């Protein structure tokens, strides 16, 4: 099992550009999450999904979009990148509601810089 | 979702026991308490989860009083490698949409 895989690991964007952060998991988890973490701060929930075709906003959804067409994939799209979106982005999955403890499994993170 | 409050930072020395307390005053009946550890440049890692009384695993112990309005993560005999940020989360275990939000966490610094 690869677990949760995020790509790319690093990316530099210019203001106004768009990009997609990819996240895939091979654990057949229903729940998937996107968080951002600014330097020295805690994690903020951007979007989450409880299964294919279902997504919900988290604490800081503005400037982002997500889709969940399959159980495995949960891409995060940044439209019109702004310097305020410079952050480390973490994707996570969880077997919540599948008879488990609900542990979150995180990817290694994607470090994004917007200049 | 129950909001959580933790100390911002704690200092300790190698070999000491460290106790980090989390307050979750409005925890609901079906909520579980979960703790995560995060090292710099890494995603958080699950440490322990509990519902009531005491839970122990190879890494830590979790103490939850009868009213469940707080919980204490206990790390026995810490080492330098335990320097990290520790987060507590309250998780509703029933099915249904759940936005798992992290608090600010507790930054633990272990000195030699």
């Amino acid at each position: 099992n690869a677990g949760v895989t995020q790509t790319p690991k690093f990316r530099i964007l210019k203001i106004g550009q768009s990009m997609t952060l990819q996240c895939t998991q091979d654990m057949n988890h229903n729940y998937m999450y996107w968080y951002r973490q600014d330097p020295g701060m805690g994690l903020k929930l951007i979007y989450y999904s409880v299964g294919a075709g279902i997504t919900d906003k988290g604490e800081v959804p503005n400037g982002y979009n997500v889709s969940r067409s399959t159980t495995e994939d949960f891409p995060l799209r940044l439209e019109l990148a702004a310097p305020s979106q410079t952050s480390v982005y973490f994707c996570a999955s969880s077997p919540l509601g599948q008879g488990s403890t609900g542990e979150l499994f995180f990817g290694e993170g994607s470090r994004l810089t917007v200049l | 979702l129950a909001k959580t409050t933790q100390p911002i930072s704690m200092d300790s020395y190698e070999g000491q026991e460290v106790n980090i307390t989390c307050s979750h005053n409005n925890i609901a009946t079906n909520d579980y308490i979960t703790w995560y550890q995060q090292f710099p440049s890494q995603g958080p890692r699950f440490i322990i989860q509990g519902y009531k009384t005491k839970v122990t695993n190879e890494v830590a112990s979790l103490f939850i009083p009868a009213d469940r309005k707080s919980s204490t993560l206990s790390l026995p005999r810490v080492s330098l490698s335990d320097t990290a940020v520790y987060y507590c989360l309250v998780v509703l275990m029933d099915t249904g949409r759940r936005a798992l939000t992290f608090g600010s966490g507790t930054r633990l610094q272990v000195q030699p």
Side-chain angles (χ1 to χ4, degrees):
Chain A
N1 280 352
V4 179
T5 303
Q6 292 183 234
T7 57
K9 288 186 170 49
F10 302 93
R11 181 74 185 268
I12 297 175
L13 280 181
K14 294 183 179 179
I15 294 172
Q17 287 186 320
S18 299
M19 76 160 296
T20 299
L21 298 177
Q22 301 291 344
C23 176
T24 187
Q25 52 96 4
D26 60 0
M27 297 174 282
N28 198 36
H29 290 166
N30 288 335
Y31 280 75
M32 295 189 74
Y33 301 83
W34 273 107
Y35 294 91
R36 61 174 286 175
Q37 187 171 36
D38 298 336
M41 306 296 285
L43 291 94
K44 293 292 185 184
L45 180 63
I46 305 172
Y47 271 97
Y48 69 106
S49 169
V50 305
I54 306 170
T55 61
D56 277 303
K57 295 179 180 179
E59 302 170 283
V60 290
N62 292 342
Y64 306 94
N65 279 301
V66 293
S67 60
R68 185 92 181 272
S69 57
T70 66
T71 298
E72 295 77 20
D73 300 307
F74 191 40
L76 177 72
R77 177 124 181 114
L78 282 73
E79 305 282 1
L80 299 175
S84 61
Q85 293 179 303
T86 293
S87 191
V88 179
Y89 292 83
F90 289 103
C91 179
S93 71
S94 175
L96 278 167
Q98 292 173 264
S100 78
T101 61
E103 176 182 349
L104 279 166
F105 294 80
F106 281 84
E108 295 183 350
S110 298
R111 187 178 298 273
L112 176 67
T113 301
V114 182
L115 301 174
Chain B
L1 288 174
K3 287 283 189 182
T4 60
T5 303
Q6 302 173 234
I8 293 174
S9 64
M10 296 181 68
D11 293 308
S12 184
Y13 292 94
E14 283 191 291
Q16 290 189 332
E17 178 185 73
V18 171
N19 296 308
I20 306 174
T21 297
C22 180
S23 172
H24 26 79
N25 290 321
N26 58 339
I27 191 169
T29 302
N30 293 329
D31 290 348
Y32 275 69
I33 298 141
T34 310
W35 285 80
Y36 288 83
Q37 175 191 56
Q38 186 182 28
F39 297 115
S41 302
Q42 295 184 25
R45 181 176 72 103
F46 174 90
I47 300 175
I48 197 167
Q49 184 181 70
Y51 182 79
K52 62 180 179 180
T53 62
K54 178 183 175 182
V55 179
T56 298
N57 61 21
E58 64 277 7
V59 176
S61 294
L62 179 59
F63 298 92
I64 305 168
D67 66 4
R68 304 198 330 117
K69 293 184 182 301
S70 67
S71 59
T72 299
L73 175 72
S74 180
L75 304 172
R77 297 180 300 281
V78 295
S79 64
L80 296 177
S81 63
D82 292 315
T83 293
V85 179
Y86 293 82
Y87 297 93
C88 79
L89 267 75
V90 175
V91 182
L92 179 66
M93 293 304 292
D94 291 341
T95 56
R97 299 184 184 200
R98 281 197 297 292
L100 297 183
T101 56
F102 284 75
S104 300
T106 298
R107 190 173 301 272
L108 173 65
Q109 181 69 49
V110 180
Q111 308 278 4

